Amino acid sequence: MKRAAIIVLDGVGIGACPDQAAYGDGGSDTLGNLARAVGGLKLPNLERLGLGRCRPIPGLAPGGSGAAAAGVALPASSGKDSTTGHWEICGVLLAKPFRTYPHGFPTAVLDEFARRTGRGWLGNKAASGTAIIAELGEEHQRTGKWIVYTSADSVLQVAAHEQTVPLAELYRACRVARQLLVGDDAVSRVIARPFTGGPGAYERTPHRKDFSIEPVATTLLDRLAAAGVPRVGVGKVDDLFAGRAITSEHTPTNGDAYRLIERALDETSSEGGFIFVNVIEFDQTWGHRNDVAGFYGGLRQLDAWIPRLEQRVTGDDLIILTADHGNDPTTPSTDHSREAVPILVLGGRVRPRGLGERSTFADMGATVAEYFGVPALAAGTSFLREIWA
């Protein structure tokens, strides 16, 4: 009846890592810079758990009352996108980052995409998703052509108005793009970006869908599936693993994710299992828009929810709060940042000790693997025996 969870707060990095400058992210520190921008964080529940013990954060006491084990993990994989971060958590390290397309995709690839989908394309540049639908939405509706764009991350995004192109057709088109962007042209994710509204008032809808490349090695999820351990997904985690060994209910807001975490904990209270969560808005809604106030508001919402999480944590549970990369809303960049991530571990048998600075995110997956008694992963060192009473 063992039960564990990894809750990934997408984009909630905690500052410097050794190779940060090589990614153009010197000085990025999502939690630290945000705290300085707002005059110090006031997050009493996260402070009590020990968030201030992970690394110094203005406004948070460095001790806390010792309710959780606390530390940080450094990124070991090449890259700083969500797929890379989640794969690393689950024991798969990448020696080479996924390819990016800052100047757009090869015309030959997009022309083949158009041929296979029966629609032409517009855009083909790095752009903000809201800005490009404002720019090209009317032409898209008039011509029926796809809006294709990218970002600093390894993604191809396809936008279409829900009244111009049915969702099912948009998803089929993204599957075609996924088939095309492999090998030397591979991207981490192809993302369907449906929107509604009219010129001057276009809005993206909650029907986003990610089509990720399949993991290149055995993951924690594969190990758990082989051992018959039930797995419950919340948020986009299924998309990040190409649906392999995990299904998930997607969540447009953090509040939806917290509600589904509660439901998952309630439903697994008697049979156990592994709960894997992506909490999306820190990255999608606030980090990418450099919205300092929104990001801090999201942290306060998280902090207010923590007691509801704690109420559902039983004696043998192992609950890990962490992140997959940074997304510092105080820097000029609106993209992900190469950063360390926090680790907070809850559970009735968890000793509230310091975990120090772990050399890879994969230590978390290795810990969960040991907890469930499944074979060790290719990467990562378990810290279970350091914290388990």
Side-chain angles (χ1 to χ4, degrees), residues 22-35:
Y23 286 78
D25 294 323
S28 290
D29 179 356
T30 298
L31 284 174
N33 287 342
L34 178 73

Side-chain angles (χ1 to χ4, degrees), residues 48-50 53 66-70 344-346 350-353:
R48 174 173 51 79
L49 293 183
R53 285 193 297 146
L344 290 172
V345 189
L346 314 178
V350 172
R351 291 195 295 261
R353 57 157 296 163

Side-chain angles (χ1 to χ4, degrees), residues 8-10 19 37 42 58 68-70 100 107 127 143 149 219 246 299 334 339:
V8 181
L9 308 172
D10 202 319
D19 58 357
K42 294 179 175 61
T100 58
T107 301
T143 64
Y149 64 105
T219 72
I246 188 77
L299 288 173
T334 58
E339 294 185 40

Side-chain angles (χ1 to χ4, degrees), residues 26 28 287-290 328-335:
S28 290
H288 283 304
R289 291 177 172 82
N290 283 349
D328 190 336
T330 72
T331 65
S333 170
T334 58
D335 290 302

Side-chain angles (χ1 to χ4, degrees), residues 307-347:
R308 296 181 64 87
L309 172 64
E310 292 178 293
Q311 289 168 9
R312 290 168 168 81
V313 176
T314 61
D316 287 333
D317 288 344
L318 179 71
I319 311 295
I320 300 175
L321 292 165
T322 189
D324 53 348
H325 51 71
N327 198 332
D328 190 336
T330 72
T331 65
S333 170
T334 58
D335 290 302
H336 298 162
S337 44
R338 178 81 166 180
E339 294 185 40
V341 300
I343 306 173
L344 290 172
V345 189
L346 314 178

